[in-house]
Structure formats: structure tokens, C-alpha cells
Amino acid sequence: MPTEPLPELAPDFVPFATAALDFHQAINMPVAPIAAGRAELDSLHAHVVALYGLLEAHTVRTTPVARAEGDHLRACRIRLWQAAEHLHAAFHAAPNPGSGRLPSREACRSRLPEGAPELTVCQRHLATAARVRRDHTPADLHDPFTGLTRH
């Protein structure tokens, strides 16, 4: 069955994003062991959520024409969401920038937003969580099975 040729694509910016991450790591990561700060965790969360969105677009386009490939992309999206969940939790477990104090166990358990600018990570996370709940079942999100042996 003949398929239509792919449209002319814009220049691929993903390699530039990858190079920027490599450059960021090379110049900003200290050699000494030090915990990531809230700003870094927020940036990483934003990056992972953006990558989730990019893979969502690829998954939606790919699955109807290449089911196995689409299934792998879907599994990748689930793992990215799990990474975003951990980054969000790490952000709230990190020391507060003003006081340098770690949040109390009660503050961590309450999961209440801490106000601006800390609220932005929560807003991004909640907006993406709504998409995730629409596209994935709770069993998908908590399943340790990666799907790599299905095909």
C-alpha cells in the first residue's frame, strides 16, 4: 500500500536541546557532591514534562500506522511521567532557598503548595497530571513492566 511522502520538516531542534543539556552539565555541575537545588529541580521537571509532551505527539501520530513502535513510545511516556513525579517530590524535599532548612515531615506529607515561585512546579505538574490521567490507567502508571518483551 503506497503511503504519502512525509512533509518537509523544519530543522530538527532536538539535537540542539540535547547539546544544551550536555553543555549545562559540563559547565554547571560541581565536581564535589552537592544536592541539586530547587531551581535546578524545577528546570529538570520542566524539561521532562516538555519531553513527555513531545513523545505524546509522536505516540499519537505513530500508533495508528506502527502499533509496536507506538506501544514502545507509550511505555516511554509512562516512564517519563514517573520521572516527573520523582522530580516533583525531590523539589518539595529540597531545602527552602530562603532559610536553607529542610521541610518538616508534616510539610512533606501535606503536599500543600508553598506559594510563588514554588507554585509553578506544582501548576505544571498538575496540568500534566490531568493529561496523564486521561491517557493512562492507574495500573499503567504503577506497573513495573516496561513492555519491552511484548514485541
Side-chain angles (χ1 to χ4, degrees), residues 6-124:
L6 288 174
E8 186 69 29
L9 298 175
D12 190 3
F13 295 108
V14 174
F16 293 112
T18 303
L21 286 174
D22 291 343
F23 187 66
H24 170 81
Q25 181 178 351
I27 65 170
N28 289 329
M29 295 300 296
V31 177
I34 186 168
R38 284 183 159 211
E40 180 81 358
L41 293 169
D42 184 24
S43 295
L44 288 170
H45 184 269
H47 190 77
V48 167
V49 166
L51 190 54
Y52 177 90
L54 178 62
L55 282 170
E56 179 180 23
H58 279 293
T59 304
V60 167
R61 290 179 46 185
T62 301
T63 303
V65 294
R67 184 136 180 93
E69 183 181 346
D71 194 40
H72 286 295
L73 290 172
R74 184 176 180 280
C76 183
R77 284 174 53 213
I78 291 169
R79 300 304 171 256
L80 279 173
W81 175 246
Q82 291 169 338
E85 289 266 58
H86 285 289
L87 284 167
H88 184 245
F91 176 88
H92 287 293
N96 292 315
S99 66
R101 284 189 257 159
L102 291 172
S104 67
R105 286 182 187 252
E106 293 79 27
C108 288
R109 284 191 198 127
S110 69
R111 296 183 181 218
L112 296 175
E114 302 169 33
E118 287 80 10
L119 184 58
T120 57
V121 69
C122 295
Q123 289 172 333
R124 180 187 324 110

Side-chain angles (χ1 to χ4, degrees), residues 1 5 20 35 53 121 150:
M1 169 162 79
V121 69
R150 279 190 273 205

